[in-house]
Amino acid sequence: APEGFYRVARSQLNPNSRHHLSFNLGFPNAYDRQLGRTGSALMVHGGCSSIGCYAITDAKVDEVYAVVEAALDAGQDAVDVHAFPFRLTDAALAREAGNPWLPYWQNLKTGFELFEATSNPPPVAACKGEYRFGADAGGPGCVAIAAWS
């Protein structure tokens, strides 16, 4: 399952999923596409088993789906989803010294820290193969991380 920053709009909800309820994460996003990643139908769903999706219990997907749907019903155009491999603390990243994914996880940590500091998802863009956040999420070569329209 991918890690990174995604957005979910109403068109990505699937109340008739074969896995109880589901929503499409929106993979590949602009970042994934800049790196040539392809795929489709990467879902968050109930059922507790999957190959590549984020499978959670039916009870938990009921809860998550309800929160996403309520936010959209209240006027949000999309809900931000941040998918990380683990809690991106300094200590956790230090334990990963030498891991080839460390630079990527350090990039994710920038967005993680902005959210932790403000409790609000920061603007996120894909900029020439890396994520940029907040005021840096713009400029030449940058594409906003967006939900399906």
Side-chain angles (χ1 to χ4, degrees):
E3 302 160 0
F5 298 88
Y6 297 88
R7 302 199 78 216
V8 176
R10 186 168 308 280
S11 63
Q12 291 164 252
L13 300 180
N14 183 3
N16 301 311
S17 171
R18 67 183 175 107
H19 296 287
H20 185 57
L21 291 172
S22 67
F23 57 89
N24 194 304
L25 192 62
F27 177 87
N29 66 15
Y31 173 87
D32 300 313
R33 289 189 303 275
Q34 285 181 358
L35 296 179
R37 296 177 180 158
T38 61
S40 63
L42 195 124
M43 312 295 276
V44 175
H45 63 70
C48 277
S49 65
S50 182
I51 300 173
C53 291
Y54 291 98
I56 56 179
T57 66
D58 288 351
K60 290 297 180 186
V61 82
D62 283 342
E63 183 180 339
V64 172
Y65 194 97
V67 169
V68 171
E69 196 169 44
L72 297 171
D73 287 346
Q76 279 187 226
D77 64 333
V79 174
D80 293 88
V81 178
H82 300 176
F84 303 127
F86 48 84
R87 191 165 180 81
L88 298 172
T89 64
D90 290 334
L93 289 174
R95 287 190 296 272
E96 297 297 330
N99 189 309
W101 287 98
L102 184 60
Y104 175 64
W105 294 334
Q106 289 169 325
N107 182 221
L108 295 181
K109 187 176 188 294
T110 303
F112 170 82
E113 288 177 335
L114 284 169
F115 178 78
E116 289 290 302
T118 66
S119 298
N120 289 305
V124 183
C127 302
K128 300 179 183 174
E130 74 173 10
Y131 283 113
R132 297 232 183 112
F133 308 94
D136 294 333
C142 292
V143 179
I145 302 301
W148 295 356
S149 52

